[in-house]
Amino acid sequence: MKGIALGCTGGSFVEGAGYDESVVKVMEEASGLPAVTTSGAVLSSLRALGVRKIAVFTPYDEWLSNRLVKFLQGSGFDIAMHAFGFDLRTTLEDNCWEPLNDWVAPQVPNDADGVFISCTDFGWLRGVAPLEERIGRPLVTSNLATLWHLLQTVNAADRLPANLSRLTEVSESRLSNVG
């Protein structure tokens, strides 16, 4: 049960829709192991959750945040809104998710059926379930998606605790939606 993940959201979407798939192909050919990218994992996670219209949040500069929006749109998603420029320094302490959650929660529009927080520099996972409860819809983060998709890919999905997020509760029958 081995696999490889490129743990960089921006580095795997920066060239647009389909770029993540070319990166996976290179990694798999070079290593002989199954591989995933963070941006590909995000797409799979959002699809598995049935999310179509997303509120997007990033720490990126505007130009990179706009490229992410184009990548998501080019992959078939609608964007309800996007906010960029969150100061990552506010989350440097272990499990310090409150500043990010307080930034995200009041901005999620009613017509968004899910939320995506981009960037693997947001290292926490324990803040996902509290924010999902607060906003009342599924939340995908770059790290959660990467971990979830890699474990799906190597048939080790049971390694994630079910109470971590709605994503980790996705049943085997819904995984046919994962692309």
Side-chain angles (χ1 to χ4, degrees):
M1 159 175 27
K2 293 181 181 178
I4 297 173
L6 173 63
C8 180
T9 319
S12 58
F13 74 71
V14 73
E15 295 297 323
Y19 178 68
D20 58 304
E21 295 164 2
S22 67
V23 172
V24 165
K25 185 177 178 181
V26 168
M27 290 190 311
E28 288 179 341
E29 288 175 357
S31 69
L33 297 171
V36 301
T37 65
T38 298
S39 60
V42 167
L43 299 178
S44 294
S45 299
L46 292 167
R47 289 177 183 135
L49 288 163
V51 173
R52 300 303 308 153
K53 193 167 191 177
I54 314 162
V56 178
F57 296 87
T58 81
Y60 308 140
D61 290 337
E62 186 174 13
W63 72 269
L64 187 56
S65 189
N66 288 338
R67 281 205 176 169
L68 173 60
V69 166
K70 284 184 178 184
F71 171 79
L72 293 167
Q73 290 171 327
S75 299
F77 293 94
D78 294 323
I79 306 302
M81 62 80 64
H82 86 281
F84 58 91
F86 183 80
D87 183 357
L88 285 169
R89 292 173 292 183
T90 64
T91 63
L92 291 178
E93 295 178 30
D94 288 345
N95 298 318
C96 187
W97 63 79
E98 290 90 355
L100 180 61
N101 289 12
D102 289 344
W103 181 62
V104 169
Q107 294 189 71
V108 177
N110 291 334
D111 64 338
D113 53 36
V115 172
F116 171 48
I117 300 175
S118 187
C119 193
T120 56
D121 275 351
F122 292 124
W124 55 264
L125 290 176
R126 294 184 185 172
V128 173
L131 185 52
E132 279 186 329
E133 185 175 327
R134 189 170 167 187
I135 62 177
R137 44 204 100 151
L139 168 66
V140 171
T141 70
S142 292
N143 289 326
L144 176 62
T146 304
L147 181 59
W148 178 84
H149 191 58
L150 181 61
L151 291 175
Q152 296 293 330
T153 301
V154 299
N155 297 315
D158 60 336
R159 300 282 177 114
L160 283 174
N163 63 352
L164 189 60
S165 77
R166 293 181 188 190
L167 180 61
T168 58
E169 296 172 0
V170 173
S171 70
E172 291 294 322
S173 63
R174 292 196 48 205
L175 293 181
S176 62
N177 295 331
V178 176

